[in-house]
Amino acid sequence: MMRGRSDGAQKKRLLTSVGVVAVFLVFLYVYFGSKSGGESALEYGSRLRKLGSSYLGGDEDGDLGSKDDTSSKFSLDDGEDGLIPKSFPVCDDRHSELIPCLDRHLIYQMRLKLDLSLMEHYERHCPLPERRYNCLIPPPPGYKVPIKWPKSRDEVWKANIPHTHLAHEKSDQNWMVVKGDKISFPGGGTHFHYGADKYIASIANMLNFSNNNLNNEGRLRTVFDVGCGVASFGGYLLSSDIIAMSLAPNDVHQNQIQFALERGIPAYLGVLGTKRLPYPSRSFEFAHCSRCRIDWLQRDGILLLELDRVLRPGGYFAYSSPEAYAQDEEDLRIWREMSALVERMCWKIAAKRNQTVVWVKPLTNDCYMERAPGTQPPLCPSDNDPDAVWGVNMEACISRYSDHDHNNQGSGLAPWPARLTAPPPRLADFGYSSDMWEKDLQLWRRRVENYWNLLGSKISSDTIRNVMDMKANLGSFAAALKDKNVWVMNVVAEDGPNTLKLVYDRGLIGTTHNWCEAFSTYPRTYDLLHAWSVLSDIEKKGCSGEDLLIEIDRILRPTGFVIFRDKQPIIDFVKKYLGPLHWEAVATSDSTTNQDEEGDDVVLIVQKKLWLTSESFRDTE
């Protein structure tokens, strides 16, 4: 009897052990994903490292970092040879907000030695090719097609950005409020609890602008809002024909920019750290910091000098912060030191009231030349290019104006909206004539009209809000969209003609970028991407076209559109991936079907389908 009980106990223990192992194996299977359902990309450097592994017929164990890795090439002539996957794996839900070049997990895994006090950990650090994810970013559970502009300025779906900590943390400042299945934005901020509109009008009143309108009869058009929160300041400027580049890092308030873009407000992920901002010199008429918690005195005022670089002659800096009004000893010390610094930089107080001070830059170089020898900060060396920005370190020096700006006592730009089409003075820097400028504008007007005709019934007046021109050149694509209710992020290549300064001169906004890397934005933030010869350009650099298509998919909102304009082989290449990317072709056009098409360019317009993971679908149900 005793032996029988012992054998039974052993059998029971064995069955229990087998059960535990079985449960563990099931857990692993669910966690890592089955082959039929797509595999989860759990960390950089995992088995699904990049296109070119087993999904494209490559050697999974090969050296993916090798320059001879042909999987990173376009393989335009391969035809139907089995290299194109039937589907791409889907990243697990933890990566629904992945920003590859601003990913803290990557920084941790790569053990990068970064100076946290200089904000280096909020700057771009991109994964090497062998460490890239090669999976599609899923929407969060319960994702819905975003609310349309202009209603989106004031409310978004909570499911699309399921982060409410800012609503609780900033509850006394009226940033945002959770209301059922939506998040609303009353327009408040740290220093404008009663609404951005009233705050903006008060600044205009301080500067004696007519009708308390900050646009100053069209002379103030481009604004830089640093540490922008959820970008209500920029959102409320739009009704005054002012466009703001709202900037904030992916920091402890990590979803600020995601909220801004979901609302349909221009915004960009970035930080004042060690690298120059990705904007040319003299880009903005007005800069703004409302309690942006930036130490402007650090490193000999280097951050304030970077702000100075991007401000135009006669540009303003509005600063709303305790240092401008508080009377405790520390705030008074900071105010005295900051006042002394900006005075040496030749800034003057234009107005000061309540919690806000507004400084103004000089119109010419005269003040700089009249400073006593040895005055700090110094003038930048003559060989220092103030427009070089991609990966360029900031310097604690003052960027002088060009001879043209100095002699004209300002940038010489026409008021808005005339400046959108008027040839800007800096056009001569590129050897372009006014006639070439006008021809470029007319060309893109015809092309945009053709695009909208091709989109046809797929879009209505409020379908598209956030637009990106991936190769902006002179900005004429964006200029041709003036009468549409959209805004455009104009992207200029880091290694081509620095035409971004012309984009800003015509009253538009944009950034510098290298499309061999991921863009600094959250997933699902743009309704329309315009890709004019972008794939051809990165092919010449030896970068992966497949990687770029996955990056485009990451940026694009579900139901959003991509307009590819390229050579026929490139268009054929894109068509091979429509199925794996869950895209569908909407329209095509070339010179044989449309006489307005020039040369051998072919147009392909695709739309991203709204697809959900099983978890997302469950939550939606």
Side-chain angles (χ1 to χ4, degrees), residues 127-138:
L128 296 170
E130 63 269 20
R131 282 182 168 265
R132 289 177 185 164
Y133 289 105
N134 69 333
C135 46
L136 302 182
I137 304 295

Side-chain angles (χ1 to χ4, degrees), residues 10 89 184 234 237 259 435 472 477 522 534 578 613:
Q10 286 180 350
S184 67
L237 285 173
F259 278 119
D435 185 54
F477 170 81
Y522 281 88
V534 178
L578 296 183
T613 62

Side-chain angles (χ1 to χ4, degrees), residues 224 272 275-284 301-313 345 347 361 368 380 384-390 392-395 397-401 405 426 498 500 512:
F224 179 56
L272 280 163
K275 306 293 184 187
R276 280 181 172 177
L277 297 165
Y279 320 120
S281 67
R282 312 195 299 281
S283 291
F284 302 98
I302 194 168
L303 303 185
L304 206 57
L305 289 159
E306 174 63 3
L307 203 62
D308 181 85
R309 181 185 69 82
V310 299
L311 275 176
R312 297 197 194 279
M345 291 166 56
W347 290 13
K361 274 186 69 173
Y368 304 143
C380 295
N384 183 298
D385 181 2
D387 297 325
V389 296
W390 188 253
V392 176
N393 288 328
M394 292 181 190
E395 293 187 43
C397 60
I398 298 172
S399 299
R400 282 171 281 197
Y401 299 135
D405 286 0
R426 290 198 275 191
N498 196 354
L500 191 58
T512 307

Side-chain angles (χ1 to χ4, degrees), residues 215-221 240-242 413-423 437 441 445 478-480 482-483 504-508:
N215 76 11
N216 193 23
E217 299 178 335
R219 289 187 286 272
L220 198 157
R221 164 65 181 172
S240 298
D241 269 344
I242 297 173
L413 297 175
W416 178 266
R419 74 170 62 173
L420 183 67
T421 53
W437 175 266
L441 178 59
R445 279 176 174 164
K482 178 184 181 295
D483 295 330
Y504 275 96
D505 282 355
R506 66 194 309 174
L508 304 169

Side-chain angles (χ1 to χ4, degrees), residues 167-475:
H168 305 300
E169 188 176 333
K170 303 290 183 180
S171 59
D172 62 326
Q173 298 171 16
N174 251 359
W175 279 30
M176 48 190 274
V177 179
V178 179
K179 292 184 177 180
D181 60 355
K182 293 177 182 175
I183 295 173
S184 67
F185 301 88
T190 308
H191 274 268
F192 42 94
H193 304 178
Y194 300 107
D197 50 350
K198 296 180 179 64
Y199 172 71
I200 290 165
S202 71
I203 294 176
N205 180 266
M206 288 170 63
L207 296 171
N208 295 317
F209 290 170
S210 61
N211 301 316
N212 291 341
N213 193 330
L214 196 62
N215 76 11
N216 193 23
E217 299 178 335
R219 289 187 286 272
L220 198 157
R221 164 65 181 172
T222 51
V223 167
F224 179 56
D225 187 18
V226 58
C228 64
V230 292
S232 288
F233 181 75
Y236 279 82
L237 285 173
L238 290 164
S239 60
S240 298
D241 269 344
I242 297 173
I243 189 164
M245 176 65 81
S246 297
L247 184 92
N250 184 23
D251 61 6
V252 290
H253 304 319
Q254 57 189 283
N255 300 97
Q256 299 170 99
I257 295 300
Q258 192 178 18
F259 278 119
L261 291 165
E262 183 76 9
R263 297 172 71 186
I265 300 171
Y268 184 81
L269 272 165
V271 68
L272 280 163
T274 65
K275 306 293 184 187
R276 280 181 172 177
L277 297 165
Y279 320 120
S281 67
R282 312 195 299 281
S283 291
F284 302 98
E285 274 102 26
F286 188 96
H288 174 250
C289 158
S290 174
R291 193 65 182 273
C292 53
R293 298 183 180 274
I294 291 174
D295 177 7
W296 295 108
L297 296 173
Q298 65 172 283
R299 293 176 283 159
D300 302 316
I302 194 168
L303 303 185
L304 206 57
L305 289 159
E306 174 63 3
L307 203 62
D308 181 85
R309 181 185 69 82
V310 299
L311 275 176
R312 297 197 194 279
Y316 299 95
F317 176 42
Y319 184 60
S320 297
S321 196
E323 294 84 12
Y325 65 88
Q327 294 300 307
D328 64 88
E329 186 175 333
E330 179 61 12
D331 287 324
L332 285 170
R333 179 193 68 79
I334 294 172
W335 172 251
R336 285 193 296 268
E337 292 187 23
M338 196 166 172
S339 298
L341 171 61
V342 298
E343 184 178 353
R344 296 194 303 273
M345 291 166 56
C346 293
W347 290 13
K348 296 185 182 301
I349 291 181
K352 189 173 187 290
R353 184 190 299 168
N354 299 332
Q355 300 178 346
T356 302
V357 60
V358 183
W359 286 288
V360 60
K361 274 186 69 173
L363 286 168
T364 69
N365 290 325
D366 288 344
C367 173
Y368 304 143
M369 300 306 164
E370 293 167 0
R371 299 187 315 160
T375 300
Q376 298 295 316
L379 297 178
C380 295
S382 57
D383 61 352
N384 183 298
D385 181 2
D387 297 325
V389 296
W390 188 253
V392 176
N393 288 328
M394 292 181 190
E395 293 187 43
C397 60
I398 298 172
S399 299
R400 282 171 281 197
Y401 299 135
S402 66
D403 291 341
H404 171 273
D405 286 0
H406 172 74
N407 294 331
N408 284 275
Q409 299 190 20
S411 54
L413 297 175
W416 178 266
R419 74 170 62 173
L420 183 67
T421 53
R426 290 198 275 191
L427 189 64
D429 295 354
F430 300 88
Y432 296 146
S433 66
S434 298
D435 185 54
M436 294 166 66
W437 175 266
E438 180 62 28
K439 285 181 177 177
D440 188 70
L441 178 59
Q442 295 304 327
L443 171 66
W444 282 104
R445 279 176 174 164
R446 292 195 303 272
R447 288 178 172 177
V448 166
E449 184 179 5
N450 181 41
Y451 293 158
W452 253 247
N453 288 337
L454 290 170
L455 283 164
S457 61
K458 285 282 186 180
I459 62 168
S460 56
S461 59
D462 65 354
T463 303
I464 293 170
R465 173 61 186 169
N466 300 351
V467 178
M468 178 186 290
D469 190 0
M470 297 174 68
K471 184 181 178 181
N473 194 27
L474 306 181

Side-chain angles (χ1 to χ4, degrees), residues 41-51 63-65 95 98 100-101 103-112 125-135 547:
L42 297 174
E43 62 173 342
Y44 286 99
S46 69
R47 198 165 70 80
L48 299 174
R49 286 170 291 190
K50 64 171 292 205
L51 292 170
D63 180 9
L64 294 177
H95 302 304
L98 176 70
C101 295
D103 185 9
R104 294 190 193 87
H105 299 295
L106 170 68
I107 291 173
Y108 174 77
Q109 288 181 29
M110 294 180 70
R111 293 177 172 79
L112 299 177
H125 302 283
C126 297
L128 296 170
E130 63 269 20
R131 282 182 168 265
R132 289 177 185 164
Y133 289 105
N134 69 333
C135 46
D547 282 353

